Amino acid sequence: MAVVARSGRGGGGSAFSSSLRSFFSYRIFVSAMFTLLFFATASVLFSSHPARLSDSPGIQTTGRAYMHRTFLALKSDPLKTRLELIHKQASDHIMLVNAYASYARKLKLEISKQLKMFDEMAQNFSDLSVKPTYRTALFESDGPVDEEVLRQFEKEVKDKIKVARLMIAENKESYDNQLKIQKLKDTIFAVNELLVKAKKNGAFASLIAAKSTPKSLHCLAMRLMGERIANPEKYRDEKPKPEFEDPSLYHYAIFSDNVIAVSVVVNSAVKHAQEPSKHVFHIVTDKMNLAAMKVWFKMRPVGRGAFIEVKAVEEFTFLNSSYVPVLRQLVSANLQKIYLDNKADNETKDEKNMKSPGDTKHLSMLNYLMFYLPEMYPKLHRILFLDDDVVVQKDLTVLWKVDLDGKVNGAVETCFGSFHRYAHYLNFSHPLIKDKFNPKACAYAFGMNIFDLDSWRRERLTDQYHYWQDLNEDQSLWKSGRQPPGLMTFYSTTKSLEKTWHVLGLGYNPSISMDEIKNAAVIHFNGNMKPWLDIAMNRYKNLWTAHVDNEMEFVQMCNFGL
């Protein structure tokens, strides 16, 4: 110490000594504060008495009483520490069970059985603590804890804890929001998967139903053929009438192999015509259905003086493979391979992109006769083209007087917003399509078109159609059907008509207003849900069935169910 004192007399010793004294003073102060805090805590613990389980219906495991018991147990009897731990476990599970029961009541869930189970479990824990054997030996005795009784008590508590945990685990999903949300998400995902699958199967089944021949239609055709075979003298071919080529009359073109559908088109048009005797209907079908079609109109002649001409497509001899590109392509191996590949692709495509299975309509020449109207009827100036799935609701003679401004095709536009524009039908990645057409150009409907045949011949549009059809043998310009080549052929040569002339969508769109339908001159059941099929929309079906000749004996015999 003398050395330190002597060194303190130097210049820097005094500062070091002062710092050392300050450090030791700080340590003494901190030690004193911790000592005071310890004694204060100890006085609180020793001034309280341990609460007994009998003082309340539940097990008291919190507060100064529990701390005091634990402190005393450590000093006196190690078994009491074990008892306190058992108390703590039991109390925790009582609180947990009560919490789930309270939450279930708050949610007002219809699970009264589960609520009863929770209440009983909580009561069992409470009853265990007041059981005479355990109350006397464990909780009211001031002496040492009986280890055998403690072991039995512990066993019963653990058994009840095990049951409580199992019960909570089984019902946790009903009360845990995160688990409920996750379970709901899983359920929604699973249901969505089933919905997508069901939609795909439904769309596929709907397409099959739409493209198949119903039993009733097949029956009708067979009955009509049988009538022709049984009575050949009644159905001999008549000579062509001069009205068939009279350009001063109103001429219609209908191309179909569906007998009853054609009869509805003709009946509805004649019914609303002001001068039926001036209307001529040119019906073209395939060779297989020619006899049935002729027998129908022989047995059920159109009233009010209208004229009916029925011919087979084979009678137009100029329509051969050397002249018609489609006929060449129909027999080409390349097109058949594409068609079969498209059918195979349907198994992996969703319902929105699914191609029609077995859709041979675009492979039939009847679907393309529209492009040869000027040559089929060389003496006519104008002709109204009608699909076989339309119903006429007004007199159409005004269409023959509409000023087409020198254009060829009078039709109703079908675009709205970005839908049904040229880009929807054509492949604009092809340079020829990109250079010739506007992808935003509005498309228009086929199925009710007034054609100026003189302008058609002048514009040589049939040659234009042949040009595009030849280029599309590999289906690089469009996939299939009549609509795309029609839009290309009559591009810039179409006059837009008022929308009330032609309302479409009755075969797929259930949201068309009845006011719009009522004001339409022609309604079109385009889509898969044709009115003669079982899958037809009932909302619109009566608009078609109203024109079916139900008095015809074969219609009754074939059970159309209309």
Side-chain angles (χ1 to χ4, degrees):
M1 294 297 294
V3 176
V4 175
R6 283 193 297 270
S7 62
R9 294 188 187 98
S14 177
F16 175 80
S17 176
S18 176
S19 298
L20 193 61
R21 284 196 301 272
S22 298
F23 173 76
F24 280 110
S25 298
Y26 177 76
R27 291 192 60 184
I28 292 170
F29 173 77
V30 172
S31 300
M33 290 301 294
F34 273 106
T35 302
L36 287 174
L37 181 60
F38 173 80
F39 281 113
T41 304
S43 65
V44 171
L45 291 174
F46 284 104
S47 65
S48 302
H49 298 285
R52 297 185 181 275
L53 291 171
S54 59
D55 293 339
S56 64
I59 298 177
Q60 301 295 328
T61 59
T62 59
R64 296 194 300 269
Y66 172 71
M67 295 173 64
H68 192 194
R69 285 198 303 272
T70 305
F71 186 79
L72 291 177
L74 287 170
K75 289 185 63 178
S76 59
D77 190 349
L79 292 179
K80 288 189 176 182
T81 304
R82 186 174 165 187
L83 177 61
E84 290 296 331
L85 292 175
I86 297 171
H87 291 168
K88 183 70 168 61
Q89 284 184 316
S91 178
D92 289 345
H93 283 81
I94 288 175
M95 291 165 52
L96 187 59
V97 169
N98 284 331
Y100 274 97
S102 175
Y103 190 51
R105 291 189 190 92
K106 184 177 179 181
L107 293 177
K108 298 180 181 179
L109 300 176
E110 297 295 332
I111 46 175
S112 57
K113 184 178 179 181
Q114 293 182 12
L115 292 176
K116 185 177 179 181
M117 291 169 57
F118 282 129
D119 289 338
E120 288 179 354
M121 178 57 65
Q123 188 61 41
N124 288 341
F125 275 114
S126 298
D127 291 344
L128 186 62
S129 65
V130 295
K131 199 171 182 180
T133 304
Y134 302 136
R135 184 185 183 90
T136 304
L138 299 177
F139 306 120
E140 295 182 352
S141 174
D142 294 329
V145 176
D146 187 334
E147 186 173 1
E148 188 64 30
V149 176
L150 178 61
R151 187 180 297 112
Q152 182 63 30
F153 177 71
E154 182 179 20
K155 182 179 182 302
E156 289 196 42
V157 170
K158 287 185 175 180
D159 288 343
K160 294 187 183 302
I161 288 174
K162 183 178 180 181
V163 173
R165 287 177 176 174
L166 287 174
M167 187 169 65
I168 290 170
E170 289 177 358
N171 299 287
K172 189 174 183 180
E173 292 183 5
S174 300
Y175 310 103
D176 191 307
N177 285 338
Q178 290 299 324
L179 287 175
K180 287 171 70 176
I181 291 171
Q182 186 59 46
K183 186 176 181 181
L184 182 60
K185 286 182 178 179
D186 293 342
T187 303
I188 292 173
F189 180 79
V191 171
N192 186 62
E193 288 289 308
L194 293 174
L195 179 62
V196 170
K197 186 176 180 181
K199 280 185 175 181
K200 181 177 179 180
N201 292 338
F204 196 77
S206 177
L207 288 172
I208 292 175
K211 306 308 175 183
S212 302
T213 302
K215 183 179 179 181
S216 54
L217 281 181
H218 179 72
C219 168
L220 180 61
M222 292 299 101
R223 293 280 184 181
L224 293 169
M225 283 291 295
E227 173 69 14
R228 172 65 183 266
I229 294 170
N231 303 289
E233 68 283 352
K234 293 172 59 176
Y235 303 105
R236 292 176 181 173
D237 292 337
E238 299 178 354
K239 292 182 179 180
K241 297 180 180 180
E243 288 82 2
F244 294 166
E245 296 181 341
D246 186 351
S248 66
L249 302 179
Y250 305 111
H251 293 264
Y252 301 77
I254 307 171
F255 307 142
S256 173
D257 57 2
N258 188 327
V259 177
I260 198 166
V262 171
S263 72
V264 167
V265 177
V266 174
N267 289 342
S268 62
V270 172
K271 179 180 178 180
H272 294 94
Q274 293 181 359
E275 297 179 282
S277 60
K278 293 185 178 181
H279 292 253
V280 182
F281 296 88
H282 301 273
I283 300 169
V284 181
T285 186
D286 53 29
K287 194 173 184 179
M288 182 180 295
N289 292 281
L290 178 64
M293 196 78 73
K294 286 185 174 182
V295 170
W296 173 279
F297 286 104
K298 196 78 172 180
M299 292 181 68
R300 311 297 294 179
V302 179
R304 305 178 67 192
F307 297 93
I308 302 292
E309 180 191 35
V310 180
K311 300 182 76 172
V313 65
E314 289 80 6
E315 295 181 47
F316 297 93
T317 55
F318 71 92
L319 295 175
N320 51 61
S321 57
S322 62
Y323 179 64
V324 180
V326 168
L327 290 178
R328 292 196 300 272
Q329 294 170 7
L330 290 179
V331 297
S332 70
N334 186 34
L335 184 64
Q336 291 179 14
K337 181 178 183 301
I338 292 174
Y339 174 67
L340 293 174
D341 288 345
N342 287 346
K343 287 183 66 179
D345 288 345
N346 284 338
E347 298 180 3
T348 58
K349 292 183 179 292
D350 58 37
E351 69 276 6
K352 292 182 180 179
N353 298 319
M354 191 181 296
K355 302 179 180 67
S356 301
D359 183 4
T360 57
K361 184 176 180 180
H362 70 273
L363 297 177
S364 170
M365 187 59 203
L366 288 174
N367 199 42
Y368 297 91
L369 286 182
M370 178 189 73
F371 297 104
Y372 301 96
L373 285 169
E375 295 159 286
M376 295 172 68
Y377 307 105
K379 295 185 179 181
L380 302 183
H381 303 307
R382 281 197 178 189
I383 194 166
L384 182 64
F385 172 74
L386 294 176
D387 271 344
D388 63 357
D389 54 354
V390 306
V391 171
V392 179
Q393 298 188 132
K394 294 182 180 180
D395 181 46
L396 302 179
T397 54
V398 178
L399 289 171
W400 277 264
K401 302 171 184 177
V402 170
D403 184 7
L404 295 180
D405 297 329
K407 296 186 177 181
V408 177
N409 175 26
V412 171
E413 292 183 342
T414 58
C415 59
F416 56 96
S418 61
F419 296 98
H420 295 293
R421 306 228 172 227
Y422 268 61
H424 179 74
Y425 299 96
L426 304 176
N427 177 21
F428 275 86
S429 63
H430 196 288
L432 282 177
I433 299 295
K434 187 176 181 180
D435 291 342
K436 294 288 185 179
F437 304 100
N438 179 5
K440 296 182 180 180
C442 188
Y444 37 86
F446 288 100
M448 198 289 296
N449 305 77
I450 184 70
F451 288 113
D452 185 331
L453 300 183
D454 292 333
S455 297
W456 188 323
R457 298 181 187 103
R458 184 173 59 254
E459 297 289 340
R460 302 177 63 88
L461 290 186
T462 300
D463 292 340
Q464 185 73 13
Y465 161 67
H466 284 171
Y467 170 76
W468 292 116
Q469 192 70 53
D470 280 330
L471 290 176
N472 195 51
E473 183 171 1
D474 59 353
Q475 295 193 353
S476 60
L477 306 184
W478 70 88
K479 289 302 180 184
S480 62
R482 178 187 66 190
Q483 184 83 5
L487 295 176
M488 300 169 76
T489 301
F490 300 106
Y491 185 68
S492 75
T493 62
T494 298
K495 172 70 178 290
S496 178
L497 302 178
E498 291 290 335
K499 290 188 179 296
T500 54
W501 279 110
H502 187 191
V503 171
L504 299 96
L506 278 71
Y508 70 89
N509 184 4
S511 62
I512 303 173
S513 71
M514 295 308 296
D515 289 339
E516 185 178 1
I517 292 174
K518 183 179 178 180
N519 294 327
V522 174
I523 55 175
H524 197 168
F525 290 82
N526 59 312
N528 289 327
M529 300 178 184
K530 301 299 184 187
W532 54 83
L533 300 175
D534 291 337
I535 61 174
M537 285 186 282
N538 293 328
R539 183 182 182 190
Y540 308 131
K541 190 171 183 178
N542 65 305
L543 300 172
W544 184 84
T545 56
H547 301 283
V548 174
D549 188 355
N550 290 305
E551 295 181 1
M552 205 278 185
E553 57 180 308
F554 294 153
V555 172
Q556 298 174 4
M557 294 172 66
C558 290
N559 299 319
F560 268 83
L562 302 174

